[in-house]
Amino acid sequence: MKLIYQHMLAFLAIILTSTAIVGFSVINFASNQAYQNTYQRLEGYASSLGELATEQGPDGLNNSSSNDLIDSHFLTKLQIVMQSDDLQIRVFNGKNKQLYPKMGPKVKLPKNIWNTLKSGNEVRIKNDHDQKETYFSSKDAYTSVIIPWFNGSKMVGAVWIGARVKNVEQPVNLAKRNLISAFVVTLIVSLILSYLISYYSLVKIKRLSKATKKVAAGDLNVQINHQDHDEIDDLASDFNSMVKALKKSAEAVKAQERRRDQFMADAAHEMRTPLTTINGILEGLEYDAIPEDSKPKSYQLMHRETNRLIRLVNENLDYEKIRNNQISLIKTNFDAAVPLNDLKTQLKTNAEKENDVIKLEIPEKLPVYADHDRFTHIMVNLVQNAIKFTQNGVITVSAKRLKHGTEIFVNDTGIGMSEDQTKYIFERFYKADPSRAKLGGKGESGLGLAIVLSLIKQHGGKISVDFTPGVGSTFSVTFFDKGFEEFSKED
């Protein structure tokens, strides 16, 4: 069964059950009230008639020699008056003999009723057709009261006054008809309301179902509008959060696949040149195509290309470990002036090959909180990168203390970069100027700055670059003090 019909049936069951309970209560109350009012009215007539009977003189309450308690002519006139209320009267003497009416069938009160009357209690009969011994009319059922009459302590008679049951129940039947009409109206209205309420809820569920099918089909841009009114809106909110998480996860997977494909393509590209060179030299040696005096240079070239391949593989392995947080940083407070001075000495020969000069403009003491070896690795790569793109120039390493950290600058007077180049400068294998890659020189793999960026992120630091094409570039690296690192959410 469809959900909308289930909801409608549930609403209808609740509404109709409530209506039935209220209706039953109303009818029961109306029925009890109708009979109670009838009893009171009949008892009023009987009491008044009893007072008249006991007050009658010679024309009314007769002496013991007479059989009549009340004058028959008076009762006949009274019966005519009471016909407007459709009431019937029967009078019995002290011996349970019907005195009035004189015409028609004679009725004798059952023994149990007569005993009740003799004890001074009245009798109420809701429907005299419910028991045969209380029939006062074979045609119509009556609701009646029987009141005893006493002369002192002696019961001298009783009066029965009855009203037709159909007249008593007339307001009850009217209430039943009104209830049926109200029930029909309630049924129609409840059908409409239950449909509208069910449809309102179902629309939300259908939106969820439709959105779920889109997600299953691969559409992760689905978002459901909701108002936070009920649990279905809460479910829609959770659905939106789930889709966002799935989209983020899918994007991460795609990015991982792109990095994998890019890695394979870049690695193949980087390895192709040295392998081609080595293969060409080997073929030349195999077919004696290389003169004897050129063989030493050929061996040296193969040695350099082999070292280049080894360095490329090692740098890729290092980069993957760093990027995947597979290295442990041992961060301490140390004086960075010492490794920076050592760096100047170590790279002096490489700088002189390009007619470059390395200058240090740093304080005598430069406290830094970082991993000592990785700090040296970062600075070597930055200075190597500056040497690679600078000829007949100056590479200046400067530094200053910040409030909660140390900022180091590596400035060069080289070829600089364009704005487009800075977008990719920290990407793996990217080379701002491939023509400047030097065989046998460290850093030509295009991994140096990618490694620098990953290490800086793991330190909770920052790196930025400022550039002017044809004038030079300045890399700025910030190492924060302990407790003030700025780790990004991506880390």
Side-chain angles (χ1 to χ4, degrees):
M1 183 182 294
K2 289 188 175 181
L3 187 60
I4 187 171
Y5 299 133
Q6 295 179 23
H7 282 192
M8 289 181 66
L9 285 175
F11 289 132
L12 281 174
I14 294 172
I15 294 172
L16 295 181
T17 300
S18 301
T19 303
I21 293 173
V22 172
F24 176 80
S25 301
V26 169
I27 290 175
N28 188 54
F29 174 80
S31 178
N32 291 336
Q33 194 69 21
Y35 279 101
Q36 192 66 28
N37 291 338
T38 301
Y39 288 143
Q40 292 175 358
R41 183 162 57 95
L42 296 179
E43 288 169 356
Y45 284 130
S47 298
S48 299
L49 189 58
E51 292 176 2
L52 290 174
T54 56
E55 291 177 359
Q56 289 286 330
D59 296 328
L61 184 62
N62 296 327
N63 56 33
S64 57
S65 63
S66 174
N67 290 328
D68 290 342
L69 292 173
I70 297 180
D71 183 67
S72 298
H73 296 290
F74 171 77
L75 291 175
T76 301
K77 293 177 181 179
L78 180 62
Q79 178 68 69
I80 294 172
V81 173
M82 298 180 69
Q83 280 182 351
S84 60
D85 286 342
D86 199 11
L87 302 178
Q88 298 292 327
I89 301 174
R90 292 179 186 273
V91 178
F92 301 87
N93 63 13
K95 296 181 180 180
N96 196 10
K97 179 180 178 182
Q98 180 176 311
L99 301 178
Y100 181 88
K102 294 184 180 294
M103 305 297 292
K106 302 296 182 180
V107 175
K108 187 176 183 179
L109 296 175
K111 185 176 181 180
N112 60 330
I113 293 179
W114 187 255
N115 291 335
T116 302
L117 294 173
K118 289 180 68 176
S119 64
N121 297 317
E122 67 178 62
V123 176
R124 290 179 174 181
I125 301 174
K126 187 174 183 180
N127 189 325
D128 63 359
H129 279 196
D130 288 343
Q131 296 179 349
K132 291 184 178 181
E133 60 268 20
T134 60
Y135 273 19
F136 292 94
S137 171
S138 59
K139 182 178 181 181
D140 295 321
Y142 279 86
T143 296
S144 58
V145 295
I146 307 175
I147 305 294
W149 291 341
F150 285 87
N151 187 3
S153 60
K154 181 180 179 181
M155 179 178 173
V156 295
V159 61
W160 173 90
I161 301 180
R164 285 186 174 88
V165 171
K166 63 180 181 181
N167 294 335
V168 177
E169 294 188 347
Q170 186 173 2
V172 179
N173 294 330
L174 179 61
K176 289 180 178 179
R177 287 195 295 269
N178 292 337
L179 180 63
I180 292 173
S181 299
F183 187 82
V184 173
V185 173
T186 301
L187 179 62
I188 295 172
V189 173
S190 61
L191 276 172
I192 296 173
L193 288 178
S194 61
Y195 176 80
L196 293 177
I197 295 172
S198 301
Y199 182 78
Y200 174 73
S201 300
L202 194 63
V203 165
K204 295 182 178 182
I205 296 174
K206 282 186 175 180
R207 278 206 307 263
L208 275 170
S209 177
K210 188 176 180 181
T212 303
K213 290 177 181 178
K214 287 184 178 180
V215 172
D219 184 2
L220 297 180
N221 294 315
V222 178
Q223 289 292 292
I224 301 175
N225 296 327
H226 57 87
Q227 302 296 326
D228 295 329
H229 288 164
D230 52 32
E231 287 78 2
I232 298 180
D233 289 332
D234 292 341
L235 182 60
S237 177
D238 294 339
F239 176 86
N240 290 341
S241 299
M242 179 195 70
V243 172
K244 289 179 181 178
L246 287 175
K247 184 178 181 180
K248 186 176 181 180
S249 177
E251 289 174 349
V253 171
K254 290 181 179 179
Q256 185 71 22
E257 291 178 350
R258 287 195 299 269
R259 284 196 295 268
R260 181 194 63 193
D261 294 342
Q262 187 64 39
F263 170 78
M264 297 302 295
D266 292 341
H269 175 74
E270 290 294 327
M271 292 180 179
R272 182 172 57 186
T273 300
L275 288 173
T276 300
T277 301
I278 294 172
N279 185 63
I281 293 173
L282 289 174
E283 287 183 354
L285 292 173
E286 182 180 2
Y287 295 106
D288 293 327
I290 299 176
E292 287 294 329
D293 57 347
S294 297
K295 286 184 179 181
K297 292 183 179 179
S298 298
Y299 294 143
Q300 292 176 3
L301 180 57
M302 283 195 298
H303 182 68
R304 287 197 299 272
E305 292 300 291
T306 301
N307 287 337
R308 182 181 174 188
L309 286 172
I310 294 172
R311 187 164 55 250
L312 179 63
V313 172
N314 289 335
E315 286 184 348
N316 269 286
L317 292 175
D318 287 344
Y319 174 75
E320 288 300 320
K321 289 180 179 179
I322 293 170
R323 188 177 64 84
N324 293 316
N325 296 325
Q326 293 178 351
I327 62 169
S328 298
L329 297 180
I330 305 175
K331 297 166 71 173
T332 59
N333 288 300
F334 61 91
D335 183 6
V338 176
L340 289 178
N341 278 287
D342 292 341
L343 179 147
K344 177 182 178 181
T345 302
Q346 293 170 3
L347 298 181
K348 181 179 179 181
T349 302
N350 290 345
E352 289 175 348
K353 290 179 182 180
E354 301 295 332
N355 294 321
D356 293 334
V357 176
I358 299 176
K359 294 175 59 177
L360 288 182
E361 297 179 357
I362 61 175
E364 185 177 349
K365 295 288 185 180
L366 186 63
V368 168
Y369 179 68
D371 183 294
H372 190 284
D373 292 338
R374 295 302 175 179
F375 172 83
T376 302
H377 193 178
I378 291 170
M379 299 313 302
V380 166
N381 279 0
L382 289 176
V383 175
Q384 277 280 36
N385 184 74
I387 293 172
K388 183 171 62 174
F389 294 101
T390 303
Q391 285 184 324
N392 304 314
V394 179
I395 291 94
T396 303
V397 179
S398 58
K400 66 178 181 180
R401 276 291 299 173
L402 303 176
K403 185 176 181 180
H404 298 294
T406 301
E407 188 172 14
I408 303 174
F409 304 91
V410 178
N411 171 264
D412 65 65
T413 58
I415 62 175
M417 289 178 287
S418 67
E419 186 173 353
D420 290 337
Q421 289 172 333
T422 58
K423 295 179 181 178
Y424 309 102
I425 193 66
F426 293 107
E427 293 289 333
R428 181 168 55 170
F429 295 112
Y430 179 76
K431 297 178 182 179
D433 185 4
S435 64
R436 296 300 311 277
K438 296 178 257 311
L439 290 174
K442 190 174 183 180
E444 75 279 2
S445 65
L447 287 169
L449 292 180
I451 290 175
V452 167
L453 178 62
S454 294
L455 287 174
I456 291 295
K457 284 184 176 181
Q458 290 191 52
H459 275 81
K462 295 192 303 184
I463 184 170
S464 61
V465 60
D466 189 17
F467 58 91
T468 302
V471 177
S473 304
T474 300
F475 285 85
S476 170
V477 179
T478 303
F479 293 92
F480 292 100
D481 294 342
K482 186 176 182 179
F484 295 93
E485 297 95 331
E486 297 180 356
F487 296 101
S488 66
K489 293 181 179 180
E490 294 179 357
D491 299 335

